Amino acid sequence: QLDVEEDIPLKMGFKEGDAEKLLLAAFRQFPLRRMPRQGGGGAAAAAAKGGKGGVTTKQKGDSSKNKSANATTTADIPKKSTDGDAGKSSQKKENDKASSADESSKSLSSSKKKNKELEDPMADVRYTEEGKQKPVGNGGSTNRYRWTQTINETSVIIGVPEGTRGKDLDVIIKASSLSVRLTKAPPKKENEDEAPSPILLEGDLVEKIRTDESTWSLEGGALVLTLDKVKKTWWETVLIGDEKIDTTLVDSTRKIGEYDDATQGAIRKILFDQRQERLGLPTSDEILGKKLIPPLPPGVEYIDKETLDANTSKKNDS
């Protein structure tokens, strides 16, 4: 009704020819079969009595026979095509089921892997000879959370109890500290002596952040904090006192588009000048700021004005 009142065309129905294909496919699910002959016994009885009635019955029997033959011929033709279509349809269904099963298994394995990482963040941690963590995603892990970073921001991933909603969390993001708590204490599990603490994360940040640009959200059974850095440096850890990563192993490469316009221009200028030097061509400064000096014949050199004036004064003194 809303679409009619606002004069919006309805996007309903099938494309041209789709309805006919569906109808034919529905009929082909029920292949034709041979029907028992009608009136065969009556024709034999009438022939025994003889007479005109017998002739008429025989003609009817012949006519019925012809019709049956035609029906048999007609039935044989679509039956073959029906068997082929049924085979193709069943094969397609099997392929769809197989692909669906593969996708389900991949999704399940990915979900299990993610849950395992949230339950035990320290499972795959590797250390350097100095005892620092080797960075993963330019970040690291603690017993409470995993974290990654770019030069501009840090992301903290914290596992939360199943069924946790946004209103169940008390998240406080300050310029130099973080606090994440559950509004209700989680229930105690069978294999635990004490109920888990409602405090999921709390401590002082290693560097200051911009609170107005920092956010948090619930994604796939995890709380994700995105912290915008004030100082664009690589963090060794998120909270003071937690395990540190080796920042010398951080992948510090960046795309040119991630820099501001002035930095992008400077980088492109450097790349252009390097290319020009490799090709033996003038650099950007030489093209824009200086006129190119043509090559001189052997034994001839240019002398600037100061050198010329100095030589002239020496000759005059002598």
Side-chain angles (χ1 to χ4, degrees), residues 36-47 57-58 60-62 64-65:
R37 294 185 180 182
Q38 299 290 335
T57 306
K58 185 176 180 181
K60 289 181 179 178
D62 294 340
S64 176
K65 185 176 180 181

Side-chain angles (χ1 to χ4, degrees), residues 189-203:
K189 296 181 181 179
E190 295 179 357
N191 57 348
E192 293 179 346
D193 297 333
E194 298 180 359
S197 172
I199 301 175
L200 299 179
L201 186 67
E202 195 170 53

Side-chain angles (χ1 to χ4, degrees), residues 217-269:
S217 62
L218 280 171
E219 300 177 11
L223 172 65
V224 180
L225 303 170
T226 304
L227 311 176
D228 188 69
K229 300 177 180 178
V230 172
K231 190 177 179 182
K232 307 304 180 184
T233 58
W234 296 108
W235 290 8
E236 286 187 326
T237 184
V238 178
L239 299 180
I240 297 174
D242 286 345
E243 289 193 18
K244 297 180 180 181
I245 65 168
D246 188 350
T247 53
T248 61
L249 302 178
V250 166
D251 181 11
S252 57
T253 57
R254 296 176 63 183
K255 295 180 180 178
I256 292 181
E258 296 177 1
Y259 293 95
D260 56 65
D261 293 341
T263 308
Q264 289 185 42
I267 293 173
R268 290 194 172 94
K269 178 179 180 299

Side-chain angles (χ1 to χ4, degrees), residues 78-149:
K79 186 175 181 181
K80 294 179 181 179
S81 62
T82 303
D83 292 341
D85 293 339
K88 291 179 180 179
S89 178
S90 62
Q91 186 177 1
K92 184 179 180 182
K93 288 180 180 179
E94 290 177 359
N95 293 336
D96 292 341
K97 287 181 180 179
S99 62
S100 177
D102 291 340
E103 290 177 0
S104 300
S105 62
K106 288 180 181 178
S107 177
L108 183 61
S109 62
S110 176
S111 177
K112 287 181 178 179
K113 183 178 180 182
K114 187 174 182 180
N115 292 335
K116 183 180 178 182
E117 290 178 351
L118 292 175
E119 291 174 0
D120 187 10
M122 301 293 289
D124 301 325
V125 174
R126 295 181 299 165
Y127 293 89
T128 62
E129 295 179 356
E130 291 78 15
K132 293 184 178 181
Q133 291 186 17
K134 292 183 178 180
V136 177
N138 288 341
S141 300
T142 70
N143 293 324
R144 296 166 294 167
Y145 61 89
R146 285 177 177 265
W147 64 282
T148 61
Q149 66 175 325

